[in-house]
Amino acid sequence: MGSAIRGSRVGAGPMGEAERGEAIARFKVSYWCANGHETRPSFADDGTVSIPAEWDCPRCGYPAGLDKNNPPIPSKNEPYKTHLAYVKERRTGDEAKKILEDALTKLRGDDVL
């Protein structure tokens, strides 16, 4: 059995439409991103599909739209904020100094209740 195709079994035939079912008609829609990349996803042509206004570009990740001359503007991603950045948004410098002084007083044992 040296001529057998590796991974096949006796009686295995080619997979065709008879085993998978009929293929539905499809159509492609062109989307363009701000970098000029064209993306052409295909959709089922059965009358039930609604075409989205935007599609993510697989090359750059920018949003792509249906109008080649007016692609969607990519949203600006904010960088990751540290815990300290969030604290600084909630507290002023004077408040931070007061909290630090209170914490140091407690740690030193100078706090008299």
Side-chain angles (χ1 to χ4, degrees), residues 40-53:
R40 296 197 57 187
S42 64
F43 298 94
D45 193 12
D46 61 357
T48 62
V49 177
S50 60
I51 305 303

Side-chain angles (χ1 to χ4, degrees), residues 5 8-20:
I5 298 174
S8 68
R9 66 177 196 272
V10 175
M15 289 269 308
E17 285 189 14
E19 294 168 7
R20 289 183 285 159

Side-chain angles (χ1 to χ4, degrees), residues 18 62 96:
Y62 282 2

Side-chain angles (χ1 to χ4, degrees), residues 6-76:
R6 188 173 193 188
S8 68
R9 66 177 196 272
V10 175
M15 289 269 308
E17 285 189 14
E19 294 168 7
R20 289 183 285 159
E22 293 284 328
I24 193 162
R26 303 188 71 73
F27 66 96
K28 292 189 175 200
V29 177
S30 292
Y31 290 90
W32 289 273
C33 71
N35 288 331
H37 302 138
E38 181 183 11
T39 303
R40 296 197 57 187
S42 64
F43 298 94
D45 193 12
D46 61 357
T48 62
V49 177
S50 60
I51 305 303
E54 290 187 2
W55 194 267
D56 289 337
C57 177
R59 292 179 64 189
C60 64
Y62 282 2
L66 297 168
D67 185 1
K68 182 178 184 177
N69 298 322
N70 192 18
I73 298 169
S75 61
K76 189 172 185 175

